[in-house]
């Protein structure tokens, strides 16, 4: 897949035609998940469920901003075993599926949820795994005007959220720093040969979908490494924050790996420990 082009073309679609996605297309996606999908932590057990037109009523109240569900004929639900990096891994896998959908000319939208058990019960999923990520998908309608008006009539928090959701995304200069957090001086100058590759990979990262478009993260280039840092954000719940971090890792890695081969990310305790402002956290790092 041409990730740079797919990443540029993808956007969240919130209105879908009633037409169900054809069986042969679902089969392509199922096989992609089984054999090709990018996984951040391959040994982590996951399972993908497909749900059709009858699911919307069942999911109502269990998923979507303020339980406001995107109307869609179909949903993907990714289940995962518990693990400290389960959210990152689920964000990474589901975003790769979303880019595969984009490649197949299908539209999609990430869906938030708060309670795995509630979603499992609503959908009749019997599994030891927990719900890790949900996305709506189908054939998008051209206009999103009506849904934007619906956002306007929600509670105060959602009015704030709505402004965020409409905001343009942060660019590379607001996301990538050198040596110390906030330092943008000569960010890409010092890395010579890798400059073009890294620019394209950071550009892909800057276009990542994130919860309420908050982009509560950034990258630090330091000590011959790249470290993904999560930034404090009162609006982003933990689950959505982890998924958003997994998504940004997928965007960065899928593009950077075109040149450099497989990136080995180290997480948690094994990630680099650059000096960061209070509340900021090193999530994953790799050698440049
Ligand atoms: C973890 C996560 C949860 C999201 N949940 C919802 C949701 O419940 N409803 C919705 O309309 N959009 C949802 N979104 C989509 C974001 O609002 C969207 O990605 C962001 O506004 C940027 O827009 P874009 O995807 O068109 O680039 C979610 C995105 C992420 C990453």
């Amino acid at each position: 897949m041409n990730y740079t082009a797919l990443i540029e073309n993808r956007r969240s679609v919130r209105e879908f035609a009633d037409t169900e996605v054809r069986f042969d297309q679902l089969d392509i996606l199922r096989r992609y998940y089984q054999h090709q999908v990018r996984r951040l932590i391959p040994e982590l057990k996951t399972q993908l469920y497909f749900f059709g037109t009858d699911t919307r009523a069942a999911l109502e109240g269990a998923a979507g901003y303020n339980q406001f569900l995107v109307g869609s004929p179909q949903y993907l639900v990714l289940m995962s075993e518990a693990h400290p990096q389960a959210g990152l891994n689920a964000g990474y896998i589901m975003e790769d599926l979303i880019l595969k959908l984009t490649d197949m000319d299908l539209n999609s939208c990430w869906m938030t949820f708060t309670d795995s058990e509630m979603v499992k019960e609503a959908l009749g999923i019997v599994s030891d795994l927990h719900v890790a990520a949900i996305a709506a998908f189908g054939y998008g309608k051209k206009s999103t005007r009506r849904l934007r008006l619906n956002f306007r009539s929600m509670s105060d928090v959602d009015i704030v959220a709505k402004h965020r959701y409409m905001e343009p995304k942060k660019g590379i200069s607001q996301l990538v720093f050198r040596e110390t957090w906030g330092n943008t001086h000569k960010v890409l100058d010092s890395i010579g040969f890798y400059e073009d590759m890294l620019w394209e990979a950071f550009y892909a990262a800057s276009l990542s979908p994130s919860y309420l478009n908050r982009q509560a993260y950034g990258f630090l280039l330091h000590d011959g490494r790249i470290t993904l840092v999560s930034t404090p954000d009162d609006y982003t719940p933990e689950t959505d924050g982890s998924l958003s971090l997994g998504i940004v890792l997928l965007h960065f890695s899928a593009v950077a790996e075109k040149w450099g081969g497989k990136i080995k990310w180290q997480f948690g305790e094994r990630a680099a420990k650059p000096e960061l402002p209070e509340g900021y956290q090193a999530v994953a790092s790799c050698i440049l």
Side-chain angles (χ1 to χ4, degrees):
M1 298 203 289
N2 178 349
Y3 278 97
T4 304
L6 293 173
I7 283 168
E8 277 184 321
N9 287 335
R10 182 218 58 85
R11 49 192 45 76
S12 295
V13 167
R14 296 181 172 81
E15 276 186 296
F16 293 88
D18 291 332
T19 328
E20 286 214 30
V21 175
R22 290 198 320 267
F23 179 78
D24 57 315
Q25 288 184 296
L26 294 180
D27 201 43
I28 290 173
L29 193 64
R30 185 173 286 118
R31 280 189 283 117
Y32 183 78
Y33 168 75
Q34 283 166 351
H35 305 296
Q36 281 172 279
V37 80
R38 284 168 184 266
R39 295 170 178 275
L40 192 58
I41 306 174
E43 62 275 19
L44 254 190
K45 189 172 170 197
T46 60
Q47 202 176 355
L48 184 67
Y49 284 81
F50 291 71
F51 290 96
T53 38
D54 47 340
T55 312
R56 185 169 177 199
L59 260 185
E60 205 85 54
Y65 286 155
N66 238 23
Q67 273 76 50
F68 181 74
L69 193 65
V70 167
S72 157
Q74 266 129 311
Y75 299 89
L76 295 176
V77 176
L78 184 70
M79 311 290 291
S80 171
E81 69 176 304
H83 184 276
Q85 273 77 46
L88 285 183
N89 189 51
Y92 197 91
I93 293 175
M94 185 64 101
E95 183 64 4
D96 198 39
L97 292 172
I98 280 180
L99 293 173
K100 178 66 184 171
L101 288 168
T102 311
D103 195 36
M104 294 163 66
D105 284 330
L106 288 164
N107 300 105
S108 59
C109 188
W110 276 87
M111 298 270 81
T112 186
F113 63 96
T114 46
D115 188 336
S116 164
E117 286 309 311
M118 192 172 165
V119 174
K120 277 166 82 171
E121 198 178 317
L123 298 177
I125 298 174
V126 181
S127 170
D128 291 341
L129 307 180
H130 66 266
V131 176
I134 307 179
F137 72 104
Y139 303 104
K141 281 189 189 166
K142 290 273 182 283
S143 154
T144 56
R145 207 156 35 98
R146 196 150 43 90
L147 280 190
R148 288 198 170 153
L149 287 180
N150 279 342
F151 272 112
R152 207 168 284 153
S153 67
M154 284 192 185
S155 68
D156 278 358
V157 173
D158 275 6
I159 287 166
V160 176
K162 183 191 139 284
H163 291 308
R164 293 290 169 189
Y165 145 75
M166 301 283 239
E167 264 178 18
K169 291 194 168 82
K170 292 177 191 166
I172 293 181
S173 61
Q174 295 157 293
L175 286 175
V176 186
F177 307 113
R178 188 175 143 255
E179 302 303 344
T180 51
W181 192 258
N183 174 33
T184 54
H185 188 58
K186 293 192 170 172
V187 160
L188 295 186
D189 281 6
S190 54
I191 48 184
F193 169 76
Y194 291 107
E195 187 173 338
D196 285 350
M197 169 199 108
L198 278 183
W199 195 92
E200 199 171 324
F202 284 132
Y203 173 62
S206 77
L207 297 176
S208 297
S210 60
Y211 180 78
L212 292 176
N213 204 22
R214 299 288 297 175
Q215 295 176 283
Y217 42 67
F219 291 90
L220 189 63
L221 305 175
H222 66 104
D223 308 313
R225 287 168 173 266
I226 301 173
T227 296
L228 172 68
V229 173
S230 81
T231 62
D233 180 39
D234 288 345
Y235 288 96
T236 305
E238 203 181 324
T239 308
D240 296 292
S242 301
L243 290 170
S244 302
L245 290 163
I247 296 169
V248 79
L249 279 179
L250 183 276
H251 277 219
F252 180 86
S253 308
V255 172
E257 286 178 0
K258 251 190 340 195
W259 288 276
K262 186 92 187 128
I263 296 179
K264 287 200 184 80
W265 290 104
Q266 297 200 294
F267 309 103
E269 277 307 296
R270 300 180 64 199
K273 308 243 173 335
E275 213 167 294
L276 294 168
E278 207 181 318
Y280 290 59
Q281 236 185 329
V283 175
S285 56
C286 67
I287 292 170
L288 193 59

